[in-house]
Amino acid sequence: MRGLTRPLTIFTSKKSFDDRFADDMQFGDMNELTLKKHYALDQVSTHVDWSTYKSPYFHSATRNIPPRSKEKVVSMLFDELRTSSRFFSFVGAFVALLVAIFLVWMVVRPVSIVRVDGGAVYVHNLPLTTEGKISWWNENKRLLRDKYSIIRNPSHFTIVIMNFGGYVSPPTGSNDGSIDDYHCFNDIKNDNKCIYNDISMVVSGNLDNKVFISVDGKTYVQLPNGKVALLSKS
């Protein structure tokens, strides 16, 4: 558009871009193969190789340096993204680099099971897409059964997988919603002892046969061969 000076400031944020634990920074589910093959993101950082957690440079001096921890790599990528955005902003030739670092950072962030209570599993950083959520279930169903003992009867079970958004204090006013919208835990001895009930998935069925996965408003059936199909509405 003629007559406009670029770059334009469309909006400014109220807070600095310095919190990698913010709610809108908690989702991402593209895997390593997708980033490398589809987006050609082999090296996006001068400090660390995002897929091996080692130095990005192949040199005899760096060959024996052990890989960093996943949490350290997450922190390093976020810091590099934040620093680069201050100097170059999201305009011009550096957009692709910043987006690349951001995509990689979204992938390497750890997904963690915060706690299990009854038939509910509270998970931090669940993937955003339906495919990513189903993949997470398949990668962790044995862990939920063997370590957390939430699947007591593999031939007939139902579990609810919740998004964990942090512990908060019980609601006190109409703006906070009803206490029924929260699950509060007596084992936490401070005011922030409740979790908002944000259901991500409901999984039920027979672990060694058909499993039904209700997610994002739809229900899928997974067969013993691993194939997943959308159930048509009757």
Side-chain angles (χ1 to χ4, degrees):
M1 182 180 295
R2 296 180 180 180
L4 294 179
T5 302
R6 297 184 181 182
L8 300 175
T9 300
I10 306 301
F11 70 92
T12 57
S13 61
K14 293 182 179 180
K15 297 182 179 180
S16 301
F17 183 53
D18 60 359
D19 182 9
R20 65 188 177 89
F21 296 104
D23 290 343
D24 57 356
M25 300 292 287
Q26 300 306 312
F27 298 97
D29 46 40
M30 284 184 286
N31 57 31
E32 178 180 337
L33 183 63
T34 301
L35 290 177
K36 286 187 174 181
K37 298 296 184 181
H38 185 74
Y39 294 99
L41 298 181
D42 291 316
Q43 181 176 331
V44 300
S45 170
T46 59
H47 302 297
V48 63
D49 185 314
W50 66 271
S51 61
T52 65
Y53 303 167
K54 293 184 176 183
S55 170
Y57 304 106
F58 296 97
H59 190 274
S60 58
T62 62
R63 186 177 302 151
N64 296 323
I65 298 177
R68 296 173 172 86
S69 67
K70 187 172 186 177
E71 180 60 27
K72 179 63 176 178
V73 172
V74 171
S75 179
M76 291 172 67
L77 288 172
F78 183 82
D79 286 342
E80 189 169 358
L81 172 64
R82 179 178 56 181
T83 301
S84 298
S85 67
R86 287 174 178 168
F87 289 105
F88 304 123
S89 188
F90 288 94
V91 297
F94 296 97
V95 173
L97 174 61
L98 295 178
V99 171
I101 295 176
F102 180 75
L103 287 174
V104 169
W105 177 78
M106 293 285 275
V107 169
V108 300
R109 291 171 310 111
V111 179
S112 59
I113 297 174
V114 177
R115 70 181 298 155
V116 172
D117 185 81
V121 184
Y122 296 88
V123 184
H124 191 220
N125 292 346
L126 271 171
L128 180 61
T129 66
T130 296
E131 181 182 6
K133 292 171 185 175
I134 294 176
S135 294
W136 181 89
W137 153 252
N138 284 313
E139 292 168 1
N140 290 272
K141 58 187 177 183
R142 303 296 177 185
L143 178 69
L144 292 173
R145 184 192 67 180
D146 299 338
K147 180 178 179 179
Y148 294 97
S149 301
I150 192 172
I151 304 176
R152 299 184 183 278
N153 183 359
S155 63
H156 184 72
F157 73 94
T158 298
I159 64 174
V160 180
I161 300 174
M162 301 278 201
N163 289 309
F164 175 78
Y167 290 102
V168 297
S169 59
T172 57
S174 57
N175 290 335
D176 298 330
S178 167
I179 187 64
D180 295 333
D181 296 329
Y182 297 80
H183 192 159
C184 300
F185 301 92
N186 294 327
D187 61 321
I188 299 178
K189 304 304 180 182
N190 59 59
D191 291 339
N192 293 330
K193 61 180 181 179
C194 301
I195 301 175
Y196 182 73
N197 293 325
D198 182 8
I199 298 176
S200 177
M201 285 186 286
V202 178
V203 186
S204 61
N206 186 332
L207 202 60
D208 297 315
N209 199 343
K210 288 184 179 180
V211 172
F212 298 91
I213 306 171
S214 296
V215 55
D216 296 332
K218 298 179 180 178
T219 300
Y220 300 81
V221 59
Q222 184 170 37
L223 303 177
N225 61 6
K227 184 177 180 180
V228 177
L230 176 65
L231 286 181
S232 59
K233 295 182 179 180
S234 58

